[in-house]
Amino acid sequence: MFTRARFQLTAWYAAAFAIILVAICVTAYAVVRRDADTSINSELRLAARDISQSPTAGHLANPADDDARYDDRSGKGGGLADDGDEDTDDDRAQPTARERSLPPQGISSDVFYLSTTTAGEVAQNPRGIDLEGIDFERLSLAATAEGRLTDTRGQGDSFRFVSLPLDDASGRVLHVGRSLEARDRQLNTLALTLIAGGAAGLLLSMSGGYWLAGRTLRPIRESMELQRRFISDASHELRTPIATIKANNELLLRHPEQTIEANLDQVAAVDAESDQMARLVNQLLMLARADEGRLTASPERLDMGTVAGDVVRDMAPLAEAKGIAMRTELGAVAVLADSGQLRQLAAILIDHAIKYTPPGGVVTIRTGQDGRRATLSVTDSGPGIAPEHQAHVFDRFYRVDSGRARVEGGSGLGLAIAQSIAEAHHGRIALISTQGKGSTFSVRLPMVD
């Protein structure tokens, strides 16, 4: 069951991470592409404005007239007289053939420009760009005075153009363009990087998710295992008194004519086992409430020394019957606690110490304070608890010596209840034990002024 749940949690972790990863990658790709397109668009619009306002624009709009001027200056035409080596101001204003092939100053070398007729025929292409396959008629018809941006593809490359008419007289259209090859290559590299990084991240997330799922399910598994063990132990503990009661009742039913006095042993056994079962049920109910955080309490200001002294007084006959001396060092210390539960806590610890202290031994009860904490400690001179058992003494139904505990009527729930009471009062209980030298159970509760 837990293996399947672990794989399901891993799948959910991976799916959630994949969704987040895809969202991040798509967003990153979109932002980079938008920034690249914005930069290209700004560059093209700026270049189109500069070119349309430069002397080159006149050549693009009226190439024949300009070529005639150029031919006359070189002696190839007769439109203008050659007055010698000096050029007129008008002549010097006209761009040379080499100048016409270069973009105006300040424009990126990645940008090229050309002019076409409205029918899409290329009139001037100063840089000789291979434009095979581009539908300039569509671009020309879509040209606007503000400059229309259009993406198009030729036979070998993709381009982006800004198209705008040069003037009404020539009917020529200026196209300022730039290849998108570099942008597309960068975006493809980015996409591959994001895909590879995303795949690696997804694999890592699945590995991490599998580990986290195991960590998440571990306390649930332990809780369920504890619950199963608790039910099993409770059933086992209830089985003994029920079996005893049933056996004695069967004996009584065999002799209905006999008086109660004649079967007093069976009646006493039924009564004793009924009391034991009632105590066990009450203890189980208390632990169940503690687990749910519903351990009801009526806190009041109490002197822990006084409460411990009352419990010692009540349990002194039990200690005397076993030949055990009880010593007290009870300092006055105030706590806010439920009177009945605090008495029960002290009684559990003192009763445990008496049970495991041999005749002639000593049980010492102390109360005091440690900083802002009130302390109650119960020390016995018994055999102590082995290190391998110390971590489990507060577990339910756990017995260091199960045979002895059963003989003395223990159910293995006392210390678990003591721990629940301490924690319900925002305190802690601890054990210090050395084999052959006895054990000390100490409780620390918040102190009040």
Side-chain angles (χ1 to χ4, degrees):
M1 179 181 71
F2 283 99
T3 301
R4 180 180 177 184
R6 188 174 187 179
F7 280 113
Q8 288 178 337
L9 282 176
T10 302
W12 281 110
Y13 287 146
F17 184 80
I19 292 173
I20 296 173
L21 197 62
V22 168
I24 293 174
C25 291
V26 169
T27 301
Y29 184 87
V31 169
V32 172
R33 177 168 182 163
R34 184 197 63 188
D35 290 345
D37 286 342
T38 300
S39 177
I40 292 173
N41 294 344
S42 298
E43 186 178 33
L44 289 176
R45 289 187 183 279
L46 180 62
R49 184 195 65 186
D50 292 345
I51 293 172
S52 65
Q53 295 174 359
S54 71
T56 303
H59 164 70
L60 293 172
N62 301 286
D65 179 64
D66 191 61
D67 289 342
R69 288 175 178 270
Y70 178 75
D71 291 341
D72 287 342
R73 290 179 60 234
S74 60
K76 296 179 181 179
L80 292 174
D82 186 355
D83 294 333
D85 294 333
E86 294 184 1
D87 294 335
T88 65
D89 292 340
D90 221 16
D91 293 332
R92 286 195 300 270
Q94 302 301 322
T96 66
R98 180 176 180 276
E99 289 171 343
R100 289 196 301 267
S101 68
L102 298 174
Q105 187 176 2
I107 295 178
S108 171
S109 60
D110 293 335
V111 175
F112 60 89
Y113 60 98
L114 64 146
S115 66
T116 67
T117 65
T118 55
E121 297 177 358
V122 176
Q124 292 291 319
N125 183 6
R127 296 184 61 182
I129 305 296
D130 181 10
L131 303 173
E132 189 70 24
I134 297 178
D135 186 1
F136 281 108
E137 182 178 4
R138 179 175 64 87
L139 296 180
S140 300
L141 293 176
T144 62
E146 293 79 15
R148 182 182 180 88
L149 285 163
T150 306
D151 287 355
T152 186
R153 184 169 184 83
Q155 289 185 352
D157 201 356
S158 294
F159 299 91
R160 179 168 295 170
F161 286 98
V162 170
S163 303
L164 66 163
L166 283 172
D167 56 47
D168 294 337
S170 67
R172 300 293 171 84
V173 179
L174 171 65
H175 303 280
V176 179
R178 174 174 171 166
S179 171
L180 297 179
E181 180 183 2
R183 184 209 68 164
D184 292 343
R185 184 170 58 251
Q186 292 173 353
L187 290 178
N188 289 336
T189 301
L190 175 63
L192 291 175
T193 302
L194 291 175
I195 291 172
L202 186 59
L203 289 176
L204 289 175
S205 74
M206 292 177 67
S207 301
Y210 186 78
W211 179 78
L212 285 175
R215 298 273 298 185
T216 301
L217 291 173
R218 183 180 301 171
I220 300 175
R221 177 183 298 177
E222 291 175 353
S223 177
M224 292 186 67
E225 180 61 30
L226 182 62
Q227 184 181 23
R228 282 195 294 265
R229 188 167 63 248
F230 178 75
I231 294 173
S232 176
D233 291 340
S235 301
H236 182 74
E237 290 295 328
L238 289 170
R239 183 184 304 163
T240 299
I242 290 175
T244 302
I245 292 172
K246 182 176 178 58
N248 283 278
N249 279 336
E250 287 178 352
L251 289 174
L252 292 173
L253 290 173
R254 289 177 185 176
H255 307 285
E257 72 283 356
Q258 294 181 357
T259 63
I260 293 177
E261 185 177 359
N263 295 282
L264 191 58
D265 291 342
Q266 286 74 28
V267 174
V270 169
D271 182 66
E273 293 300 330
S274 298
D275 289 341
Q276 172 66 13
M277 190 164 59
R279 284 194 299 272
L280 180 59
V281 170
N282 288 332
Q283 290 174 339
L284 292 174
L285 180 60
M286 184 174 186
L287 288 172
R289 289 174 176 172
D291 288 343
E292 296 177 357
R294 297 190 299 110
L295 189 60
T296 57
S298 301
E300 56 182 306
R301 183 186 177 89
L302 300 171
D303 178 14
M304 184 177 283
T306 300
V307 173
D310 292 343
V311 175
V312 170
R313 180 198 62 208
D314 296 341
M315 302 190 73
L318 179 61
E320 291 176 4
K322 292 187 63 175
I324 298 172
M326 298 185 72
R327 296 176 183 173
T328 59
E329 299 175 13
L330 305 178
V333 57
V335 295
L336 192 64
D338 183 281
S339 176
Q341 293 179 13
L342 188 59
R343 284 181 59 87
Q344 185 179 10
L345 171 60
I348 289 172
L349 298 182
I350 295 173
D351 179 67
H352 184 275
I354 293 173
K355 284 181 180 178
Y356 290 95
T357 300
V362 178
V363 174
T364 304
I365 301 95
R366 299 181 179 91
T367 60
Q369 69 179 73
D370 180 10
R372 296 297 302 167
R373 293 277 175 171
T375 61
L376 165 66
S377 65
V378 179
T379 303
D380 63 59
S381 58
I385 301 173
E388 63 269 20
H389 295 300
Q390 292 182 20
H392 302 285
V393 293
F394 296 105
D395 292 351
R396 297 167 188 183
F397 296 108
Y398 187 84
R399 299 185 182 90
V400 176
D401 183 356
S402 59
R404 181 178 177 186
R406 287 186 185 280
V407 170
E408 300 198 6
S411 63
L413 293 176
L415 292 178
I417 292 175
Q419 184 182 50
S420 296
I421 293 174
E423 292 177 351
H425 287 80
H426 309 289
R428 300 187 67 84
I429 186 170
L431 164 67
I432 299 176
S433 181
T434 303
Q435 280 191 286
K437 296 184 179 180
S439 304
T440 297
F441 287 89
S442 59
V443 179
R444 293 163 55 87
L445 300 179
M447 189 176 67
V448 296
D449 297 327

